[in-house]
C-alpha cells in the first residue's frame, strides 16, 4: 500500500497506471508493457475500490499483477502498489508526474477525459497520457471476463492461465 510521503516531487519520467485489475487481463498487460517502455519507472496502482465489488481481494490482485509483470521485458522498471486514496493523492505519494490510461473505445475516451480534467484541476503539475488499446484487446474488459467465467465460459483468450486459475478458484470452479 502506498504510504503518505510528504513533499515528494513529481517526476514526469515516472508513470502511474491505476485500475482495479479485477482480474488483470491481456489488455491491461499490453498497456503496462507499452507504458513501461515510455517511462524510467512505471507504478501500477491497484485501487481498493469497494464500490466496484471486486471478485478478488486486494492481496490477490496485487499478487497476480506482480506475477504477470515479472514476465514483461521491462519488468525491472515496474512496481505494483495498492492504494485506497484519491488517485491524485496516490500519484503524488508515488512521486509520479504522469498518469497513464488505456482507451478501448470512444466511450472510454468520454469518461477518461472527464477524469483527466478533474485530475488536472486538482493537480495541474500531473499530466495524463492515453494509450489506445491494441486492436486484439479492445473488447477485453475485466467485467466481461468475470461474467464469462461466472457463466462457465472459457476466459483463456483474455487472461493468462495463472489468472484464469485464480478467478475460477474464487468462483468455486477449480483448485484453490
Amino acid at each position: 500500500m502506498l504510504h503518505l510521503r510528504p513533499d515528494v516531487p513529481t517526476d514526469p519520467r515516472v508513470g502511474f497506471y491505476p485500475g482495479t485489475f479485477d482480474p488483470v487481463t491481456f489488455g491491461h498487460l499490453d498497456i503496462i508493457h507499452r507504458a513501461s517502455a515510455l517511462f524510467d519507472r512505471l507504478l501500477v496502482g491497484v485501487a481498493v475500490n469497494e464500490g466496484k465489488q471486486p471478485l478478488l481481494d486486494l492481496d490477490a490482485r496485487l499478487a497476480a499483477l506482480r506475477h504477470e509483470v515479472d514476465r514483461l521485458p521491462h519488468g525491472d522498471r515496474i512496481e505494483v502498489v495498492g492504494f485506497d486514496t484519491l488517485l491524485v493523492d496516490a500519484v503524488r505519494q508515488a512521486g509520479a508526474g504522469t498518469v497513464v490510461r488505456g482507451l478501448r473505445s470512444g466511450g472510454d475516451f468520454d469518461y477518461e477525459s472527464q477524469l483527466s480534467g478533474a485530475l488536472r484541476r486538482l493537480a495541474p503539475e500531473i499530466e495524463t497520457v492515453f494509450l489506445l488499446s491494441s486492436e486484439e484487446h479492445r473488447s477485453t474488459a475485466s467485467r466481461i471476463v468475470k461474467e464469462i467465467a461466472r457463466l462457465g465460459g472459457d476466459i483463456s483468450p483474455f487472461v493468462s492461465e495463472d489468472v484464469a486459475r485464480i478467478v475460477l478458484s474464487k468462483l468455486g470452479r477449480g483448485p484453490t
Side-chain angles (χ1 to χ4, degrees), residues 1-5 16 19 41 43-50 57-63 66 79-87 89-91 93-94:
M1 194 70 68
L2 281 173
H3 299 288
L4 187 58
R5 296 182 301 169
F16 192 97
R41 189 166 149 244
L43 289 105
V44 180
V46 182
V48 171
N49 202 346
E50 292 302 327
D57 66 28
L58 180 63
D59 289 337
R61 289 181 282 141
L62 288 167
R66 287 177 179 135
E79 182 181 350
V80 177
V81 296
F83 71 101
D84 61 358
T85 63
L86 284 173
L87 174 59
D89 293 334
V91 173
Q93 289 170 22

Side-chain angles (χ1 to χ4, degrees), residues 15 29-44 64-81:
L29 293 172
D30 174 56
I31 296 293
I32 292 167
H33 167 71
R34 291 168 44 220
S36 69
L38 300 174
F39 296 96
D40 292 345
R41 189 166 149 244
L42 179 69
L43 289 105
V44 180
L65 249 169
R66 287 177 179 135
H67 177 72
E68 296 299 321
V69 162
D70 282 346
R71 302 175 187 194
L72 295 178
H74 302 292
D76 60 326
R77 292 190 221 172
I78 305 167
E79 182 181 350
V80 177
V81 296

Side-chain angles (χ1 to χ4, degrees), residues 13 49 61 89 95 140 142 171:
R13 297 168 306 191
N49 202 346
R61 289 181 282 141
D89 293 334
T140 305
S142 293
L171 292 172

